Structures are given as C-alpha cells and as structure tokens.
Amino acid sequence: MVDRQKIETILRRRFPGSDLGQVAAAANAIMGLHDEWEEVQRPDPGRLTEELSRGSRLLVFRRTDHDEHA
C-alpha cells in the first residue's frame, strides 16, 4: 500500500511552488494508479509478445541509479 503522506511530502519537495490543492490532486492521481496498473517483476518475453498481439498496451519501467546521471 502506498503511503499518501509520503507521496505528498515527495511532491512538495519536488515542486516547491505548488499549492496544496495541486499537491492533493497529484497525490490522488498517484494513489489511483494501483487500480489501473500492475507491476511486472520478471516479464516473460513470450507472454509480452502474446499480450501485444492481443492489443494490450504495455509500458516497461526501470529504476535508474541517480549516480548514472551525475
């Protein structure tokens, strides 16, 4: 479960000029993501190909190491 207060804290730090309404709206959107998205830990290439052939929309994310961009 995602901690809403943690999300709001991160958003306030990341976007210091934002008002509380903007932060709350962004937090609401982030909190709602779990209903629409599913995390795939170890994607199977065969299954991904099958999903794509059925018209699924797939997005793959990778967390980057901040040191890589320094």
Side-chain angles (χ1 to χ4, degrees):
M1 186 65 162
V2 179
D3 181 353
R4 183 187 177 87
Q5 287 182 327
K6 184 174 182 178
I7 291 172
E8 289 178 351
T9 300
I10 292 167
L11 289 170
R12 281 195 297 276
R13 286 182 189 156
R14 187 83 166 175
F15 306 102
S18 300
D19 65 42
L20 294 178
Q22 291 171 316
V23 171
N28 286 342
I30 292 168
M31 294 294 293
L33 288 177
H34 75 286
D35 294 335
E36 300 173 18
W37 297 92
E38 126 184 51
E39 183 177 357
V40 178
Q41 294 291 330
R42 295 184 181 150
D44 171 25
R47 182 168 179 220
L48 292 176
T49 302
E50 180 182 319
E51 295 268 345
L52 288 170
S53 70
R54 290 187 300 193
S56 293
R57 179 176 174 222
L58 301 174
L59 301 174
V60 179
F61 295 92
R62 179 178 69 90
R63 172 172 252 166
T64 60
D65 184 358
H66 290 291
D67 293 335
E68 289 179 13
H69 304 292

